[in-house]
Amino acid sequence: MATASRRIGGPGERVDAGLKVTGQARYAADVALPDLAHAAYLGSAIASGRVLAIDTTRAEQVGGVLLILTHHNRGPLGDLPNGDGTALAPDPRPPLADARVHYHGQFVAMVVAESPEQAAHAAALIGVTYEPAPCLVDIDDAEAIRLEDNPRRGDCAAALRAAPVALDVLYSTPVQHPCPLEPHATVAHWVGHDLVVHDSTQWVLGDRALLARAFGLADDRVRICAPFVGGSFGSKVCTAAHTLLAAVAARRLGRPVKSVLRREQVLATIGPRAATRQRIQLGAERDGRLVALRHHTRSHCAVNSGFPDRDPFHEPTSGVTRMLYACPNYEAVHDVVPLHLMKPGWMRAPGEATGLWALEGAMDELACRLGVDPLELRLRNHTAHNAHTGKPYAGEHLRECYERGAERFGWARRDPRPRSMREGDAFVGWGLATATHPGNSDDASVRVRLDRDSRGAYASVATAGVDLGTGLYTALAVVVADALELPLERVHVELGDSRLPPAPVTGGSNLTASLAPAARAACLQLRRRLLGFRRDPDELAAWGELLARAGLGPIEAVGAAEPRGVPGQYAYQSFGAQFVEVRVVPELGQVRVTRVVGVFDVGQVVNATATRNQLIGGILFGLGQALLERLVHDPARGVPVGADLAGYVIPAHADVPDIDVSWLDTPDPAFNALGCRGAGEIGITGVAAAIASAVHHATGIRVRDLPITPERLLAELAGERED
Amino acid sequence: MVLLSVNGARHELDLDPRTSLLDALRERLGLTGTKKGCDHGQCGACTVHVDGRRVLSCLALAVAQQGHEVTTIEGLAAGERLHPMQRAFVECDALQCGFCTPGQIMSAVAMLVEVDDRRRLTDAGIRERMSGNLCRCGAYPNILAAIRRVRP
Ligand code: FES
Ligand code: FES
């Protein structure tokens, strides 16, 4: 490891990598406590209806069983916060609330036993009698409810009618799942009347607020620890049902309880990305400039979403279609379709990954229709301000992303005719799409403490924010090392504990952008305090020496993310251009992505190594979205089919193409003191559309429904041969 | 009583015959570096070595390991000195959340032993041989780079 202080934006190893490669990083399920009991769950065998009777006699006889909870004996819980911004429950009703069943796999019983084997065995022996009711799990086969929020500008209908060129297309996405590799896990224990929970969560303060309310405790009587979380991608924002039950059981038993979801329970009971059907209508001039854009989305929600009192969770597809391209007339309509499925939730770039799939697909179709190069079409519709709010972007470099990406990819050599490029048996296709994600940040605070030992000064950095694999440990260490001019190994970072200074949920690519400036602000406070102890303003004294001279022990400061500039003056947005090459062997119908080039503007990069890794990870999420991932439910019974990692296929080593990611060095100083915007989600946003465009270029086949499977392409290719 | 030999240490355990090697390591021996991602042999997070070969410990019964030498991620380094594969994973940033990492490393180390001529191992060959180890964070290109660094 380089010992010199590392520059912001430079490359470098992760500060927590050593713990991770030796198996020493402690995730929630790794927490060992004396007297630990183990939980297992029985999920409902029906997707809709009621539980008539539960027979636990056989389960109770299993040796080691300590407790069986059902809706009959779960006991009361306080009102859970929902919709007030302090915490989120996945489901408006707490678990084991009553006899109603509204999705397959919904917990109907919890067993706690001395060992995991005993708990699992006993859960399997519980007999449940159901009264099933008809279930609906197909978004195309159920009634929709129109939501009221219809963003619009101009007169879309009239402009569509009058447009010289019109396009009207339907793009679909299936139910997909964040499916982090770490299954959701909780260890709950009570210390006296205080609750301590080790949880895999994106939001320790959300967990704390929810559990405090559930048990009628003051916030400071609940402590949540999440120093390491094994990925999340949106799925660990809500406080999961099993986390709440683990705390209930631990209190009942007076023992710590460990609860780890099985993979099929992750897929069935943790909110997925909603299925969408998106109708895009484009009206354009003959040169390709848009005059009208209408975006009508249907997305699924849960029958028990709590609507209309609560947000049913609608996949926010129109957030991106309304702002991306200059277009005077716009309208978005959103319908939700209640289904007997787990309530959907966030999955990496919610809204952008789905909305851009539809919009960028339609833009490629428009380019083909007009005979305009798809890149040129984007340039003709480019805007330097948010097309919907009219606010100028504080920093906007999309044209440069297109330009650099095209050059790195070799886009100019593209023959626009479908099936014009071949290599051996394979058709080769090139496609591109725009990537974008809003610059988000939230109130956040970081404590930095400066102390000294025999080797001089060192800093301890602490915040409740959680590192999900994003590199937050490293980013904060780099920022503090830089601001205090300390070697990196003299900075220690502590994260993911609700007792540390408050930080927001890790979500919306917000955390580095919120916490890095806060950490820097704390360092600047410390500098100001210590610099007063210099003998004269030019003296170059080490911090350790100034601390000694001041006769101080450790000094500390809490920095906050400060709002910059005039509120509401600017829009903050990250952009990118993504270029994809695919190969399709017509006899196999299999799409192989062979090359991806992505050039991004994410503002100031804090840690180049982790940022590159994250952008690549986003691109691979997009590859999964485009080619592999689909959670299917049996339409008759609502059972998730193949709810495991063989059925829900995510990208593996062998799927990985050659990926070239880079970024512009373009800090956004109006956004925050470091000018950084976050890079967790933008990587996924344009990938699916770029892949589908490349598939069209390769084969002439336009796929508007994900994932693009071999069966689908083979069917189309076979159909052609018959024609 | 089952005698398990793990990372050079011998443990006498009274085990439920249903207990997987993975659960025995994690729940009984406190070796939580080996991870459970699926419990079905589908993700590779639980990869350990049994007599030097890679094995999915969620699919192996603990009682069947008597007489065999089990190595986990905790036993890979020589004291403070990281194994070259661990070192390469750090240097190549071959991880994000780190949950798949112990499995990837154990799998990679054993994979290189499986092939007769490491120098003829292509990138595509490595990817194919490592495809049983899923990484949802998508650190794959860096994992490949780390393995290449150790390969010769
Ligand atoms: S836990 Fe063993 S392969 Fe997934
Ligand atoms: S690093 Fe997160 S799953 Fe591989």
Side-chain angles (χ1 to χ4, degrees):
Chain A
M1 171 172 288
T3 52
S5 101
R6 234 157 71 184
R7 265 191 337 99
I8 289 181
E13 295 166 5
R14 272 168 216 259
V15 298
D16 52 340
L19 290 177
K20 288 177 174 174
V21 300
T22 52
Q24 301 307 311
R26 288 273 174 274
Y27 301 78
D30 301 340
V31 171
L33 291 169
D35 224 18
L36 191 60
H38 299 263
Y41 300 90
L42 178 67
S44 166
I46 60 169
S48 166
R50 302 172 54 80
V51 171
L52 292 180
I54 303 184
D55 180 1
T56 57
T57 359
R58 287 175 67 207
E60 279 157 23
Q61 283 155 13
V62 172
V65 168
L66 301 165
L67 176 69
I68 299 178
L69 287 183
T70 68
H71 67 275
H72 295 299
N73 66 342
R74 189 260 276 143
L77 288 171
D79 258 350
L80 304 184
N82 219 343
D84 65 359
T86 60
L88 282 157
D91 196 317
R93 281 187 314 149
L96 306 181
D98 53 42
R100 283 178 294 158
V101 172
H102 44 77
Y103 64 92
H104 190 279
Q106 176 192 322
F107 296 152
V108 293
M110 175 198 205
V111 179
V112 185
E114 297 285 352
S115 80
E117 293 83 8
Q118 292 163 339
H121 178 55
L125 295 179
I126 295 175
V128 183
T129 316
Y130 299 97
E131 178 184 71
C135 79
L136 289 170
V137 294
D138 183 352
I139 185 175
D140 296 315
D141 200 26
E143 296 271 334
I145 304 167
R146 174 83 25 113
L147 297 183
E148 265 158 31
D149 174 35
N150 290 349
R152 60 174 73 210
R153 58 182 186 265
D155 184 344
C156 200
L160 276 175
R161 274 195 304 274
V165 184
L167 188 85
D168 185 348
V169 283
L170 183 71
Y171 277 80
S172 304
T173 61
V175 178
Q176 299 189 316
H177 204 284
C179 202
L181 204 65
E182 178 200 25
H184 299 60
T186 299
V187 173
H189 68 123
W190 292 81
V191 181
H193 295 289
D194 291 4
L195 174 62
V196 181
V197 173
H198 303 269
D199 196 23
S200 43
T201 175
Q202 290 171 254
W203 192 17
V204 292
L205 296 183
D207 261 12
R208 183 179 73 173
L210 188 131
L211 292 167
R213 290 270 285 278
F215 294 102
L217 296 170
D219 275 356
D220 62 358
R221 310 287 299 280
V222 179
R223 180 181 183 188
I224 314 293
C225 303
F228 291 98
V229 175
S232 173
F233 317 109
S235 73
K236 295 170 181 171
V237 172
C238 295
T239 303
H242 81 109
T243 302
L244 190 51
L245 291 177
V248 170
R251 182 150 82 167
R252 196 75 74 85
L253 291 170
R255 287 175 68 165
V257 170
K258 170 145 119 180
S259 169
V260 184
L261 293 189
R262 302 178 59 81
R263 178 58 56 184
E264 65 269 24
Q265 291 169 337
V266 171
L267 287 165
T269 71
I270 300 293
R273 185 180 330 262
T276 71
R277 302 290 180 263
Q278 302 179 60
R279 182 180 178 195
I280 299 268
Q281 291 167 275
L282 296 180
E285 302 286 0
R286 297 210 182 279
D287 65 2
R289 276 178 302 131
L290 294 177
V291 293
L293 165 51
R294 188 166 188 279
H295 186 189
H296 180 178
T297 300
R298 262 184 314 138
S299 64
H300 93 262
C301 69
V303 284
N304 80 321
S305 65
F307 185 78
D309 301 335
R310 291 187 168 129
D311 172 29
F313 194 91
H314 67 290
E315 172 78 10
T317 47
S318 73
V320 64
T321 56
R322 71 182 76 160
M323 51 63 63
L324 184 55
Y325 294 120
C327 179
N329 302 289
Y330 176 87
E331 182 185 9
V333 182
H334 200 117
D335 300 332
V336 287
V337 181
L339 299 177
H340 292 98
L341 296 177
M342 174 61 199
K343 186 176 179 181
W346 302 267
M347 175 164 161
R348 203 170 201 168
E352 290 86 16
T354 40
L356 277 181
W357 152 247
L359 176 61
E360 289 297 90
M363 287 298 275
D364 194 67
E365 295 196 55
L366 182 63
C368 289
R369 171 88 65 86
L370 296 169
V372 176
D373 180 86
L375 178 51
E376 175 59 28
L377 182 72
R378 266 64 170 204
L379 292 172
R380 286 183 193 169
N381 287 290
H382 176 259
T383 164
H385 52 260
N386 180 306
H388 200 60
T389 63
K391 280 183 201 165
Y393 296 118
E396 186 277 313
H397 308 273
L398 177 55
R399 283 167 179 277
E400 238 176 300
C401 294
Y402 288 136
E403 216 169 277
R404 251 208 234 179
E407 200 182 297
R408 293 181 84 96
F409 188 82
W411 184 257
R413 294 195 306 275
R414 179 178 186 262
D415 181 334
R417 293 167 304 147
R419 298 194 186 181
S420 59
M421 293 163 57
R422 295 197 69 135
E423 207 180 277
D425 290 346
F427 293 126
V428 177
W430 290 1
L432 70 83
T434 309
T436 190
H437 193 270
N440 291 325
S441 67
D442 294 284
D443 289 345
S445 50
V446 176
R447 185 179 66 222
V448 180
R449 178 195 303 245
L450 196 59
D451 201 351
R452 66 195 156 93
D453 60 16
S454 57
R455 290 162 58 207
Y458 66 91
S460 311
V461 185
T463 167
V466 178
D467 187 336
L468 307 168
T470 57
L472 184 65
Y473 277 104
T474 311
L476 293 184
V478 167
V479 166
V480 170
D482 176 80
L484 294 177
E485 298 155 69
L486 289 171
L488 197 65
E489 70 273 9
R490 298 296 281 166
V491 181
H492 311 289
V493 183
E494 198 186 342
L495 296 178
D497 185 332
S498 61
R499 292 195 173 169
L500 301 177
V505 58
T506 308
S509 301
N510 67 342
L511 210 62
T512 303
S514 309
L515 290 173
R520 192 178 137 90
C523 293
L524 296 184
Q525 288 179 43
L526 293 176
R527 287 183 73 108
R528 275 194 296 274
R529 273 162 68 185
L530 278 181
L531 288 175
F533 292 98
R534 285 175 304 183
R535 296 219 170 80
D536 63 76
D538 296 326
E539 190 198 16
L540 287 171
W543 297 124
E545 204 181 313
L546 291 179
L547 274 175
R549 201 180 289 167
L552 292 172
I555 61 167
E556 62 177 49
V558 176
E562 292 161 56
R564 312 259 301 173
V566 185
Q569 184 184 10
Y570 290 116
Y572 305 104
Q573 189 84 20
S574 290
F575 290 99
Q578 298 184 303
F579 298 76
V580 165
E581 176 181 275
V582 300
R583 261 155 233 251
V584 185
V585 177
E587 283 69 32
L588 301 175
Q590 197 194 20
V591 177
R592 277 213 67 94
V593 177
T594 45
R595 208 153 61 87
V596 179
V597 170
V599 178
F600 302 92
D601 162 30
V602 291
Q604 172 70 54
V605 162
V606 176
N607 174 10
T609 303
T611 299
R612 180 177 308 283
N613 205 336
Q614 237 192 345
L615 288 169
I616 290 173
I619 288 168
L620 290 173
F621 241 74
L623 190 146
Q625 179 193 13
L627 301 180
L628 303 171
E629 297 179 32
R630 172 172 50 184
L631 190 59
V632 183
H633 294 86
D634 160 26
R637 295 177 50 232
V639 185
V641 181
D644 57 26
L645 288 171
Y648 189 81
V649 183
I650 62 175
H653 277 281
D655 298 307
V656 177
D658 177 27
I659 304 177
D660 165 16
V661 295
S662 58
W663 48 84
L664 313 174
D665 283 314
T666 42
D668 191 347
F671 186 49
N672 59 42
L674 283 160
C676 60
R677 277 197 231 100
E681 291 165 281
I682 189 169
I684 181 178
T685 57
V687 173
I691 289 176
S693 301
V695 168
H696 177 261
H697 182 228
T699 63
I701 297 170
R702 180 70 66 182
V703 182
R704 301 188 187 90
D705 186 8
L706 294 179
I708 306 170
T709 56
E711 304 87 79
R712 188 174 311 229
L713 283 184
L714 279 176
E716 297 261 359
L717 288 161
E720 258 171 41
R721 270 177 227 122
E722 280 161 25
D723 288 346
Chain B
M1 280 293 170
V2 184
L3 194 63
L4 279 187
S5 174
V6 182
N7 300 333
R10 293 156 80 78
H11 306 271
E12 223 180 344
L13 291 178
D14 185 8
L15 283 175
D16 186 321
R18 293 168 296 189
T19 305
S20 66
L21 174 58
L22 174 59
D23 283 341
L25 293 169
R26 291 182 51 82
E27 305 297 340
R28 301 294 301 278
L29 298 178
L31 294 169
T32 53
T34 307
K35 301 302 181 203
K36 184 187 284 189
C38 69
D39 219 14
H40 277 54
Q42 295 167 343
C43 77
C46 65
T47 309
V48 299
H49 298 170
V50 175
D51 300 332
R53 290 164 166 274
R54 50 180 172 169
V55 160
L56 297 174
S57 62
C58 70
L59 294 186
L61 289 173
V63 290
Q65 307 312 314
Q66 188 154 323
H68 299 283
E69 178 57 38
V70 178
T71 309
T72 70
I73 189 72
E74 290 92 344
L76 196 61
E80 288 293 283
R81 225 179 58 247
L82 294 183
H83 183 281
M85 191 64 79
Q86 291 172 310
R87 198 61 250 147
F89 266 62
V90 174
E91 287 164 2
C92 298
D93 201 43
L95 54 91
Q96 291 180 34
C97 77
F99 198 79
C100 72
T101 310
Q104 301 277 1
I105 291 174
M106 297 308 283
S107 192
V109 169
M111 183 270 291
L112 289 183
V113 177
E114 284 162 19
V115 293
D116 297 333
D117 185 356
R118 290 180 184 195
R119 266 169 303 255
R120 285 184 39 204
L121 200 49
T122 59
D123 285 358
I126 295 176
R127 284 181 172 137
E128 204 58 55
R129 287 165 185 274
M130 288 297 294
S131 279
N133 288 85
L134 298 177
C135 174
R136 186 54 158 165
C137 297
Y140 294 125
N142 292 356
I143 295 171
L144 175 67
I147 296 172
R148 269 197 321 225
R149 183 170 288 207
V150 176
R151 178 181 51 184

